[in-house]
Amino acid sequence: MASWEDNLRQIEPYVPGEQPQGKDIVKLNTNENPYPPAPEVEKIIKEFKTEDLKKYPDTTAQPLVEALSEYYGFEENEIFVGVGSDDVLAMAFMAFFNSDKPILFPEISYSFYEVWADLFRIPYTKTKLNEDFTLQKEEFFKENGGIVIANPNAPTSIAEPLEFIEDVLKYNQASVVIVDEAYVDFGGNSALSLLNKYNNLLVVQTFSKSRSMAGARIGFAIGSKKLISTLNAVKNSYNSYTMNMVSYLAGREAVLNKAYFEDRVNAIIKTRENCKKSFKELGFTMPDSKTNFLFVKHDRVPAAEIYEKLRQAGIYVRYFKKPRIDNYLRITIGTDEEMNKLLGELKKILGGK
Amino acid sequence: MASWEDNLRQIEPYVPGEQPQGKDIVKLNTNENPYPPAPEVEKIIKEFKTEDLKKYPDTTAQPLVEALSEYYGFEENEIFVGVGSDDVLAMAFMAFFNSDKPILFPEISYSFYEVWADLFRIPYTKTKLNEDFTLQKEEFFKENGGIVIANPNAPTSIAEPLEFIEDVLKYNQASVVIVDEAYVDFGGNSALSLLNKYNNLLVVQTFSKSRSMAGARIGFAIGSKKLISTLNAVKNSYNSYTMNMVSYLAGREAVLNKAYFEDRVNAIIKTRENCKKSFKELGFTMPDSKTNFLFVKHDRVPAAEIYEKLRQAGIYVRYFKKPRIDNYLRITIGTDEEMNKLLGELKKILGGK
């Protein structure tokens, strides 16, 4: 007999990193920023006129788009904002990947790409990586219905040079190419500089990492007017009002304070570079991270074991039980204090071996 | 030659009501609440610890779900929250409507149902309405892949009795039945009372109308554990973190202050009932609204003309240029002061006729 359960969607969802609660926990598992947002963010929230909540927000989140327009030097109709870069990317998958040919993305990358392709029933092929986790350019020179590249890539932390991205674009004039730059502010080279030459390029960034605003849910995309208007049509067919008022007003303030942003990003980069040395001294190897995390492997002790022992000590890092990377840990760069606590604990764990 | 533009999604988006800015404007076009949110909402936003924004929000928006659980008397795993009821409904379409058979919804109803069906490529059939805009029960006794009914319906403002919904449920044990109760707090009977008997029923509500929080983007669904876990799987395949921190904390406070909520809803109902009389005196006819808006038609003057003249006077109401309803206006119930201003202007417009 037919049942209503027959038509329920069967789907394997993405499993986000744990969000443990507790005062003494060191949370280095979801690539959050250890520093608070710009001081003006606090001010605007304190001054927010709560009565305004009775009205619908601006559908276009105009105050935020305006600030991004000035900051990055693109017109407002070349900018799209969403509820975190996940929302932006999901809409971009729906908007741009309507071919019967498979879309291409790296076999090791942000695991949501596969989840969205499944959700929207988009065919896909994963491209091979080199032994050192760098991407293989030729893998993107195949017939396709679209391309997604995270640059820097996650969880590998590696940034491909801009020439790599441009070569992919040159070969793929018949596809939309999405470059997911969630981590670019920590040392990558943004493909924003290629937008004047390629109107099939969409660059996606987020406020969740470099701008310390994961809790506000803000992501954005910059691309040609044609791509952005298509994204807006899809968004307005899904939910006209995705971004709440407080988030777009607060996000605007974060963009306006450029000095604070650069200062905090530089602090994280400095901590990261120090950590690279300390981790190597402890017997870890890793790619040269251009992100706010390290992707490390120990020469003697299995990652799963280190992960478990750190967890018991109240230090959370990310472990992916997946082929090729199941002996690696992804460790977010926290404050110097947090990293020293982590390094101290690692010494204890590895010292006993 | 193949072009990247070939695979862009072609779609006709929903067009939301205008959001005119300006001090003297009377905005009665998007069914917003004229009163501010509960005072505790302001307090929690003022006291919000901005530094917390650096962390991802709780994926489940637990503080809000907990409050809803206590308020409505359902378990937390029977409740799903999203970025407005549009987000909840869109996810429900993806989660529940995966049959080859058409889903059913009324020919005159919330126009987003058709937009979502198109977006997700779900086949659909629109059910006929009676001459007086009430729904025809037998229209839902056809083979289908799912059912969506707005009750009270929009823009007609009519609430069908609960027996109507139960008869539809009785006949459709093999389909998921979604009852969209965006306006139920203004006088409808909620299908929440049927949830103990029908585990294929999903009831969707919103904070945008009765709880004065359109700007915060909060909607929710209550249903069986199976429906809610399926919704969560789809949500976690789209965006793990849809609801920002400030919204779920503020939303929680709105739920906790039951007295304020009831008081404001009653004030709107009182204004509505007074308006019904005044509108009739001016020569308007209308269904017996159980919502926070009236769906009115004048016996002499065309709706399009009244709409345009009100607009020129800075009073915004909603006009749908659609078959059967193109001589109607949808007018949100504002404060008594706003409604008096509207009535005064209508007298001027109609007096000259």
Side-chain angles (χ1 to χ4, degrees):
Chain A
M1 202 189 109
S3 158
W4 57 273
E5 298 195 42
D6 296 343
N7 296 320
L8 299 189
R9 194 66 194 269
Q10 306 294 333
I11 202 150
E12 197 66 51
Y14 172 81
V15 179
E18 293 168 279
Q19 296 290 0
Q21 305 295 322
K23 247 191 143 170
D24 294 328
I25 277 169
V26 178
K27 197 169 167 305
L28 304 171
N29 66 332
T30 51
N31 295 344
E32 290 153 335
N33 196 309
Y35 301 109
E40 291 79 6
V41 172
E42 177 157 10
K43 190 163 177 284
I44 201 104
I45 293 176
K46 290 265 179 288
E47 289 171 1
F48 178 72
K49 211 175 135 226
T50 308
E51 178 163 354
D52 287 348
L53 285 183
K54 72 186 183 187
K55 296 268 193 279
Y56 280 93
D58 186 302
T59 48
T60 61
Q62 209 275 333
L64 174 61
V65 169
E66 184 186 70
L68 290 169
S69 168
E70 282 172 29
Y71 190 96
Y72 290 104
F74 291 90
E75 290 181 44
E76 291 185 20
N77 57 9
E78 296 170 318
I79 299 170
F80 175 83
V81 299
V83 178
S85 59
D86 284 350
D87 184 44
V88 175
L89 287 162
M91 297 236 177
F93 272 54
M94 270 196 274
F96 305 139
F97 299 157
N98 296 286
S99 163
D100 292 335
K101 298 172 198 158
I103 62 167
L104 306 175
F105 50 81
E107 57 176 332
I108 298 171
S109 195
Y110 186 35
S111 48
F112 239 120
Y113 301 151
E114 193 172 347
V115 174
W116 288 318
D118 284 336
L119 181 65
F120 302 126
R121 301 180 171 102
I122 300 164
Y124 59 93
T125 302
K126 297 183 189 178
T127 71
K128 289 194 200 87
L129 270 65
N130 295 309
E131 196 57 43
D132 65 358
F133 296 135
T134 54
L135 304 185
Q136 291 186 25
K137 196 186 293 179
E138 296 69 25
E139 285 281 288
F140 295 96
F141 297 170
K142 294 172 179 174
E143 209 180 28
N144 65 74
I147 287 172
V148 191
I149 297 175
N151 194 39
N153 197 14
T156 66
S157 79
I158 298 169
E160 298 293 341
L162 212 49
E163 298 73 45
F164 182 101
I165 301 294
E166 181 153 18
D167 285 347
V168 171
L169 280 161
K170 271 185 196 151
Y171 193 90
N172 288 285
Q173 308 269 334
S175 298
V176 172
V177 177
I178 298 176
V179 183
D180 176 359
E181 299 190 335
Y183 299 101
V184 75
D185 293 323
F186 301 105
N189 286 311
S190 175
L192 287 173
S193 62
L194 300 174
L195 278 172
N196 60 339
K197 287 161 74 180
Y198 301 94
N199 53 11
N200 57 327
L201 165 64
L202 189 82
V203 177
V204 178
Q205 296 190 8
T206 177
F207 279 48
S208 299
K209 318 293 181 186
S210 56
R211 295 191 185 275
S212 300
M213 291 184 74
R217 313 309 303 125
I218 306 174
F220 63 99
I222 304 184
S224 60
K225 291 177 183 67
K226 180 74 184 175
L227 288 183
I228 298 303
S229 68
T230 306
L231 264 179
N232 273 315
V234 168
K235 180 253 193 182
N236 284 321
S237 299
Y238 183 91
N239 185 355
S240 310
Y241 305 96
T242 50
M243 193 169 298
N244 72 92
M245 276 177 196
V246 176
S247 287
Y248 65 64
L249 293 174
R252 174 183 168 85
E253 296 302 317
V255 176
L256 294 179
N257 193 339
K258 192 175 179 179
Y260 179 89
F261 168 70
E262 290 176 345
D263 180 65
R264 294 297 86 194
V265 163
N266 287 333
I268 291 167
I269 291 173
K270 196 176 161 196
T271 304
R272 178 188 70 203
E273 295 306 314
N274 289 336
C275 281
K276 283 180 186 171
K277 287 181 216 145
S278 309
F279 273 82
K280 281 175 190 161
E281 284 165 18
L282 287 173
F284 286 97
T285 53
M286 70 206 80
D288 186 32
S289 169
K290 298 291 181 192
T291 63
N292 70 335
F293 60 87
L294 298 179
F295 193 55
V296 304
K297 174 188 173 178
H298 197 261
D299 56 9
R300 286 180 293 114
V301 187
E305 186 180 328
I306 301 173
Y307 166 77
E308 206 37 67
K309 287 192 171 159
L310 284 175
R311 212 179 120 98
Q312 283 161 21
I315 299 175
Y316 286 75
V317 301
R318 193 84 196 260
Y319 173 64
F320 299 93
K321 206 176 166 63
K322 286 187 179 175
R324 282 188 71 180
I325 60 170
D326 61 354
N327 203 21
Y328 282 81
L329 296 172
R330 193 194 70 183
I331 300 177
T332 306
I333 302 298
T335 59
D336 286 325
E337 193 190 343
E338 289 172 319
M339 299 320 278
N340 287 336
K341 200 166 166 186
L342 166 70
L343 288 162
E345 199 61 40
L346 283 172
K347 269 176 208 155
K348 274 197 256 173
I349 294 169
L350 302 168
K353 291 277 151 183
Chain B
M1 203 188 108
S3 158
W4 57 274
E5 299 195 44
D6 296 343
N7 298 320
L8 300 189
R9 193 67 193 269
Q10 305 294 334
I11 202 150
E12 197 66 48
Y14 172 81
V15 179
E18 292 169 280
Q19 296 289 1
Q21 305 295 324
K23 246 191 147 175
D24 293 327
I25 277 169
V26 178
K27 198 170 167 304
L28 305 172
N29 67 332
T30 51
N31 295 344
E32 290 152 336
N33 196 310
Y35 302 109
E40 292 79 5
V41 172
E42 177 157 12
K43 189 160 177 285
I44 201 104
I45 293 177
K46 290 265 178 289
E47 289 171 1
F48 179 72
K49 212 175 134 224
T50 308
E51 178 163 355
D52 288 349
L53 285 183
K54 72 185 184 188
K55 297 267 194 277
Y56 280 93
D58 185 302
T59 48
T60 61
Q62 209 275 333
L64 174 60
V65 169
E66 184 185 70
L68 290 169
S69 167
E70 282 171 31
Y71 190 95
Y72 290 103
F74 291 90
E75 290 182 44
E76 291 186 18
N77 56 9
E78 295 171 318
I79 300 170
F80 175 82
V81 298
V83 178
S85 59
D86 285 349
D87 184 44
V88 174
L89 286 162
M91 298 237 178
F93 272 54
M94 270 196 275
F96 306 138
F97 298 156
N98 295 285
S99 163
D100 292 333
K101 296 173 199 157
I103 62 167
L104 307 176
F105 50 80
E107 58 176 332
I108 298 172
S109 193
Y110 186 34
S111 48
F112 240 121
Y113 302 151
E114 192 171 346
V115 175
W116 288 318
D118 285 335
L119 181 65
F120 302 127
R121 300 181 172 99
I122 300 163
Y124 59 92
T125 302
K126 298 183 190 177
T127 71
K128 289 195 201 86
L129 270 66
N130 295 311
E131 195 57 42
D132 65 357
F133 297 136
T134 54
L135 305 185
Q136 291 186 24
K137 197 185 290 178
E138 295 68 26
E139 285 281 289
F140 296 95
F141 297 169
K142 295 173 179 173
E143 208 180 29
N144 66 74
I147 287 172
V148 191
I149 296 175
N151 194 38
N153 197 13
T156 64
S157 78
I158 299 169
E160 298 294 340
L162 212 51
E163 297 73 45
F164 181 101
I165 301 295
E166 182 154 19
D167 285 347
V168 171
L169 279 161
K170 271 186 195 151
Y171 192 91
N172 288 285
Q173 308 270 334
S175 298
V176 172
V177 177
I178 297 176
V179 182
D180 176 358
E181 298 189 335
Y183 299 101
V184 76
D185 294 324
F186 301 105
N189 285 311
S190 176
L192 287 172
S193 62
L194 300 173
L195 279 171
N196 61 338
K197 285 161 75 181
Y198 301 94
N199 53 12
N200 59 326
L201 165 65
L202 189 82
V203 177
V204 178
Q205 297 191 7
T206 177
F207 280 48
S208 298
K209 317 293 180 187
S210 56
R211 295 189 185 277
S212 299
M213 291 184 74
R217 314 309 302 124
I218 306 174
F220 63 99
I222 304 184
S224 61
K225 291 177 182 67
K226 180 74 184 175
L227 288 183
I228 297 304
S229 68
T230 305
L231 264 179
N232 273 314
V234 168
K235 181 252 193 181
N236 284 321
S237 298
Y238 182 91
N239 185 356
S240 310
Y241 304 96
T242 50
M243 193 170 297
N244 72 92
M245 275 177 196
V246 176
S247 287
Y248 65 64
L249 293 175
R252 175 183 168 85
E253 296 302 317
V255 176
L256 294 180
N257 193 340
K258 192 175 179 180
Y260 179 89
F261 168 71
E262 290 176 345
D263 180 64
R264 295 298 86 194
V265 163
N266 287 334
I268 292 166
I269 291 173
K270 195 176 161 197
T271 303
R272 178 188 71 203
E273 295 306 314
N274 289 336
C275 282
K276 282 181 187 172
K277 287 180 218 147
S278 309
F279 273 81
K280 281 174 191 163
E281 284 165 17
L282 287 172
F284 287 97
T285 52
M286 70 205 81
D288 186 33
S289 170
K290 297 292 180 190
T291 64
N292 70 336
F293 60 88
L294 297 179
F295 193 55
V296 304
K297 175 188 172 179
H298 197 262
D299 55 10
R300 287 180 293 115
V301 188
E305 187 181 326
I306 301 173
Y307 166 77
E308 205 38 67
K309 288 193 170 159
L310 285 174
R311 215 180 117 99
Q312 283 161 20
I315 299 175
Y316 286 74
V317 300
R318 194 83 196 262
Y319 173 63
F320 300 93
K321 206 177 166 62
K322 288 186 178 175
R324 280 188 72 180
I325 60 170
D326 62 354
N327 204 20
Y328 282 82
L329 296 173
R330 193 194 69 184
I331 301 177
T332 306
I333 302 299
T335 59
D336 286 325
E337 194 191 341
E338 289 172 319
M339 299 320 277
N340 287 337
K341 200 166 165 184
L342 165 70
L343 288 163
E345 199 59 41
L346 283 172
K347 270 175 210 158
K348 273 197 257 174
I349 294 169
L350 302 169
K353 290 278 154 184

